[in-house]
């Protein structure tokens, strides 16, 4: 299934016989909480999902946004009205990061019918509502493992023997700045691939052909159809995972990402523009 859906197609599906469950995952790294914006206006029927509370566990040794407790995540998805066969569409209002995190978690836990709204809320031309919906509880039971997942050792091996993409901004990869984590730099062997280069000026994903060309230039190809990806804390890397799927590659996510890696003084750190 295509990992994204256009706003036009979403409007048609919402008017059809089996409308998707909508998840509003507005989130900004270091920005204000998304709930007030949701309450001010959201796509009709959308349920607000709190990324920090429902799509991540408590910060700690596993990073700033470790994977959530699976049972708690399943309960949150059921409260939103999700069952195993329910179509789901996620959206946000900033680069697709939050929406992609929800997409990745649902896919990783076995839900096959989930898509990201291409272009996010800005692409939606229909009405907004302020009413908070009360969906009928779903029956979704998460079964982790449907997508590839890396730990720190796995990420090191992927950077050494395969292709590991660093989804953060280039200046953070190069170690020129580090506004959040303990150490600046990147995992040795990882290749810089900022998420900003996956989308156009309207926030929509580039065409599959352009994304394929991008990832091939970065080192993906016939012998590297599976590609590892990480970021600062496992959120923006999920957007890269969506782009990789659009391009025909199979993403594997290092969920702990740089926040976990850099928190361990025993882990090596590279700086500069090259993989190191």
């Amino acid at each position: 299934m295509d990992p994204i859906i256009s706003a036009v197609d979403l409007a048609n599906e919402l008017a059809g016989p089996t409308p998707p469950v909508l998840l509003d995952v507005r989130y900004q790294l270091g920005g204000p909480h998304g709930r007030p914006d949701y309450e001010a206006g959201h796509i009709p029927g959308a349920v607000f999902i709190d990324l920090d509370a429902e799509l991540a566990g408590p910060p700690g040794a596993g990073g700033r946004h470790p994977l959530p407790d699976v049972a708690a995540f399943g309960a949150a998805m059921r409260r939103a009205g999700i069952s195993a066969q329910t179509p789901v569409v996620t959206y946000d209002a900033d680069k697709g990061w939050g929406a992609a995190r929800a997409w990745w978690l649902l896919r990783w836990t076995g839900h096959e019918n989930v898509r990201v709204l291409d272009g996010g809320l800005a692409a939606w031309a229909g009405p907004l509502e302020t009413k908070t919906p009360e969906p009928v509880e779903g029956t979704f039971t998460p079964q982790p493992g449907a997508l590839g997942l890396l730990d720190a050792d796995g990420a090191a091996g992927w950077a050494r023997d395969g292709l590991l993409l660093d989804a953060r901004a280039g200046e953070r990869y190069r170690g020129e700045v580090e506004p959040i984590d303990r150490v600046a730099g990147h995992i040795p062997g990882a290749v810089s691939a900022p998420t900003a280069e996956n989308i156009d000026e309207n926030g929509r994903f580039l065409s599959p052909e352009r994304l394929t060309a991008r990832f091939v230039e970065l080192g993906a190809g016939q012998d590297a159809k599976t590609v590892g990806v990480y970021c600062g804390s496992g959120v923006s890397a999920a957007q890269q995972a969506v782009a990789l799927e659009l391009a025909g590659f199979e993403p594997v996510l290092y969920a702990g990402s740089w926040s976990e890696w850099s928190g361990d003084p025993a882990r090596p750190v590279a700086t500069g523009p090259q993989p190191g």
Side-chain angles (χ1 to χ4, degrees):
M1 170 173 285
D2 197 323
I4 64 173
I5 182 173
S6 71
V8 171
D9 287 343
L10 174 59
N12 290 334
E13 291 193 15
L14 288 172
T18 55
V21 168
L22 288 174
L23 303 183
D24 184 312
V25 199
R26 275 182 259 191
Y27 164 83
Q28 292 183 40
L29 179 64
H33 198 274
R35 182 87 199 194
D37 286 341
Y38 166 83
E39 292 175 346
H42 50 267
I43 298 176
V47 177
F48 180 73
I49 297 296
D50 187 327
L51 188 146
D52 288 320
E54 296 174 305
L55 303 183
R64 284 183 281 110
H65 289 108
L67 296 184
D69 174 80
V70 170
F73 171 71
M77 296 301 99
R78 289 191 292 275
R79 286 194 300 272
I82 297 174
S83 297
Q85 302 305 317
T86 307
V88 180
V89 172
T90 71
Y91 72 89
D92 60 33
D94 184 43
K95 308 183 194 71
W97 292 3
R101 173 73 171 210
W103 170 87
W104 187 88
L105 280 168
L106 281 164
R107 287 284 310 281
W108 176 65
T109 53
H111 201 296
E112 297 180 352
N113 193 346
V114 54
R115 292 160 292 172
V116 172
L117 175 59
D118 193 21
L121 187 61
W124 176 255
L128 300 179
E129 70 176 14
T130 58
K131 183 177 82 171
T132 300
E134 298 180 0
V136 176
E137 181 144 340
T139 60
F140 175 64
T141 300
Q143 299 180 2
L147 292 183
L149 177 66
L150 299 174
D151 60 11
D153 289 339
W158 216 268
R160 182 181 62 249
D161 302 323
L163 176 63
L164 181 68
L165 300 180
D166 185 317
R168 298 173 300 160
E171 59 268 26
R172 289 185 70 192
Y173 170 89
R174 294 188 295 270
E176 296 166 3
V177 298
E178 182 44 66
I180 306 170
D181 294 312
R182 188 184 65 86
V183 176
H186 60 266
I187 297 174
V191 174
S192 180
T195 59
E197 297 177 23
N198 294 326
I199 55 178
D200 63 18
E201 63 276 8
N202 296 312
R204 293 182 174 89
F205 282 96
L206 302 180
S207 69
E209 294 76 18
R210 291 179 65 186
L211 288 170
T212 299
R214 181 193 185 209
F215 293 126
V216 167
E217 186 175 357
L218 291 170
Q222 293 298 320
D223 298 326
K225 295 297 286 185
T226 304
V227 179
V229 60
Y230 77 98
C231 58
S233 65
V235 175
S236 65
Q239 188 251 48
Q240 189 101 284
V242 173
L244 283 162
E245 277 216 358
L246 279 170
F249 298 100
E250 179 183 344
V252 289
L253 179 71
Y254 173 28
S257 286
W258 187 248
S259 60
E260 179 186 45
W261 183 279
S262 64
D264 182 353
R267 296 278 177 193
V269 171
T271 57
Q274 301 303 317

